[in-house]
Every structure is written in C-alpha cells, then in structure tokens.
Amino acid sequence: MAKTIQAIRGMNDCLPTQSPLWHKLENAVKNVVSVYGYSEVRMPIVEMTQLFSRAIGEVTDVVEKEMYTFEDRNGDSLTLRPEGTAGCVRAGIEHGLLYNQEQRLWYMGPMFRHERPQKGRYRQFTQCGVEVFGLNGPDVDAELIMMTARLWRELGIDKHVRLELNSIGSLQARADYREALVGFLEQHIDVLDEDCKRRMHTNPLRVLDTKNAEIQAILGDAPKLSDYLDEESKQHFQGLCELLDSVGIEYSVNQRLVRGLDYYNRTVFEWITESLGAQGTICGGGRYDGLVEQLGGKSTPAVGFAMGLERLVLMLETLELDSVRRGVDVYVVTAGEGTLLAGMKLAEALREEVPGLRVMSHFGGGNFKKQFKRADKVGAAVALVLGEDEVSEGTVVLKDLIGGTQNTYPQAQIVTKLAELV
Ligand code: HAM
C-alpha cells in the first residue's frame, strides 16, 4: 500500500461530526453582527508580505516568526494572512470605502500563523473580525464590546468569560512612556532574560507581558502607562468605562494589557476565559486610528476586534453546550418493485412542503432490517417505509425510531405529521 499523506501539523480537518457545532456557532456570530447592521466583506487569503509587515509591525512576534511567507512564480513575496485587519484596511483604501465615510464591516475565515500548536492554538485557525471606520468616539468602542457580550449570552458562555480593558494612549504618549520604560529596564538589566533584553530595544511594551515570574515581580515598580496618557485618550477611556458601566458590562482595567500587534492606540481589550487553559483569550481588539494613513489612505479613525472560533468551539464542548440537531429527521426505507422511485419522489415532495426538514433516502438495497440500522446510524428520528402495498394504496408507514411505534397514514397526511419534527 502507498504511504499515506497527513495534514500539516496545526492545520485541522473539520469532520462531519464536528460541522454541526461549527454551523451553530457561525450562525450565532452572523446573527449578532447582522442585528447591529454590519456588512460582510471578504478579502483574499494571500496578500503582499509588505502589507502585514507595515501594518502589524516589523518587530512583532507575528511578523518576526509566525508568517507563512513565500515567493510566488513571479518572484513577489506573498504571505498567507495571519489576521484580517490589514487586508480589510487595504481593501477599504483600494475601493474608496473609507475616505469621508463610515463603514461597519465584518469578515470570517481562515488565518495562518506558524505558532507551536497546542490546545486552542493552531497554525490554521478561523477568525471572525469586525472593523469600524470613520467614527472616533468611545460610543462605537462600547458598541463593539456590547456586541461581543451579546454573542456570549446567546452562546450561553457569558458566565465563563471576563473582559480586560486598557488605554494605551496616543502615539506620542506611547513614545514618552517607552522612553521611561526603557530607562527603568536598563536599571534592571541583570534580571531580564534574553527575550526581554531583545524586546527592550525593539518593542519594550511587550516586556510587560512576559511570563517570567521574576521579571513580572520587578515590573510592579515600573513606570505606569496610565501616568503618560494624553488628556484626550484619558477622556476617551473614561467615556468608554462610563458607557460600559451604564449598560452593566463588567470589566477590569489591566494596565499591562498592550496586545501583540503594533497598530493599536487608545482602547485595547481582550475577552478571557479560564476554561481553556493557557490559550484563554477568545477575542481581542482595540482602536487603530493611525493604520489607514500608515497604509497610504487618508487619516481615518478605526476600531475593531477578532475572535478565534476554534477556541469558542472548544469552550462550547468543554462546558457541554454543544447540543446540536445532528443527522437527519427522516430516513426513507423502500423494498419491492418500483418503490425506490416512489420513495425518492415522496422525499422530494416532503423537502418541498416542509421547509428545513432533512430527508435522506436509502440507496443500495437490502432488507428492512439493514435499512433501519442505517436509519439509526444517521440519527434519523423517524423512518418512512414504502413497500409495494403502500405504493399501490398511496399510503406510507411512519416508524418512530425513538419511541418505537409504527402507524400507516395516507401519503397526503404525512406532511402534517412530519412538520412537527422541524
Ligand atoms: P489577535 O489577538 O492576534 O488579534 O487575534 C484575535 C483572536 O484570534 C485571539 O484572541 C484568538 O482567539 C484567535 N487566535 C489568534 N491566534 C490563534 C491561533 N494560533 N490559534 C487559534 N486562535 C488564534 C487580531 O488578529 C486583530 N486583527 C484583532 C483586531 C481586529 N483588532 C482590531 N481589529
């Protein structure tokens, strides 16, 4: 036998047993973005490498070590998108959607990062992102958070997530803070590990989220970003906190929350769960008022977030909230001359008359016993049985596969019986 070929590590198949839960989640997400009036945008999965290095930042983990970058046959450097914001901004500028306009957009699809795979962290994963352009008040930041909170309620996971919030201020405020922080880190250089030493000069704010406990301990005395915030950013943040308070959304302000992508300013937030272990961030986002201009458009305020759907699926499974309508409703069993065609016609008529009813026809022959076994295997609630007598009399036997009862009905009456299953 030939050697089998396996999927790439960290890139998973979604199997038929798993897809109903994915559909449930995707539908819930689409429903929530749509009730806020947002529109879908679909971008290519591959973009010019430069787009990501410019948008996300040369010295971020994503750009430095996680991108799937390759040369195509023309010699252009291309990259499988590691996230959606950069492509969304690129598309907005390219199609003239952003200048002097307001856009409320969402997208869903695969993203790629060459990270070390573990539970909740994959090399191909699915994000649903939301991006708003042209609005600079804290009201829209609050709406995005309310939108995610609504989704958690609809999925039933709202008691298992918490919101962390921070403001990282203007670019100038960050530059001032960065200088103070580097000064502080230099005084403690002997405690820093290699990673932090490297980051100290390239991206010192990232030292704040080190996992090294010894370094975390000294960071308690480090200068605080909040002391460097510009007045406008402070007011924006206060406005957001007041809005969240008045709609009853709980949060905690985490001064160390800086996010791993460089384009943010002012508001940053993350939704975190304890139920997944190490990869507990299910959603992250914030403002990026400078990015449109940085990518060649006119200065446009912007804010957004993205959530990882694999992590939400894992959460639904862990919390046993993964009940879905699996399999089919009706399995059509036939035996005898001319019954297969009669069965297929009946199935077709039922699909027509009972919208949403899932009807599967048995193919491949075999006795009733074998066919009922198949019906059980595909999870059907009822079997419709057509033998030669039923076909000639215009009747059908309805067998309840859960309760076990069995009755004969005229075919014309079967629609009302089956409508109850949907
Ligand atoms: P991010 O924090 O890099 O932000 O990713 C957002 C979410 O995607 C994470 O919270 C996580 O749930 C999921 N995620 C990230 N990496 C992985 C992975 N390797 N495996 C599984 N899930 C993952 C962004 O991507 C920004 N573009 C969000 C944003 C939109 N900010 C403004 N607009």
Side-chain angles (χ1 to χ4, degrees), residues 90-142:
R90 196 258 322 126
I93 298 171
E94 191 169 328
H95 301 285
L97 302 181
L98 306 185
Y99 182 54
N100 258 344
Q101 295 176 64
E102 195 188 298
Q103 295 290 346
R104 305 182 192 201
L105 308 173
W106 67 273
Y107 50 83
M108 196 187 291
M111 308 291 161
F112 302 83
R113 295 184 193 176
H114 195 275
E115 296 193 77
R116 201 165 45 78
Q118 65 178 86
K119 180 181 164 197
R121 188 165 71 193
Y122 309 104
R123 290 182 172 170
Q124 174 174 334
F125 58 98
T126 318
Q127 272 188 353
C128 173
V130 170
E131 316 287 357
V132 178
F133 298 96
L135 294 166
N136 56 19
D139 42 8
V140 59
D141 304 20

Side-chain angles (χ1 to χ4, degrees), residues 83 85 113 115 120 122 127 131 259 263-264 281 304-305 308:
E83 57 105 55
T85 309
R113 295 184 193 176
E115 296 193 77
Y122 309 104
Q127 272 188 353
E131 316 287 357
R259 310 259 312 126
Y263 46 63
Y264 293 108
T281 310
F305 67 79

Side-chain angles (χ1 to χ4, degrees), residues 29-53:
V29 170
K30 285 180 190 168
N31 180 50
V32 167
V33 290
S34 117
V35 299
Y36 284 82
Y38 287 54
S39 313
E40 187 183 10
V41 53
R42 298 185 187 191
M43 295 85 65
I45 286 169
V46 183
E47 299 267 6
M48 303 297 282
T49 302
Q50 219 196 359
L51 173 69
F52 301 115
S53 41

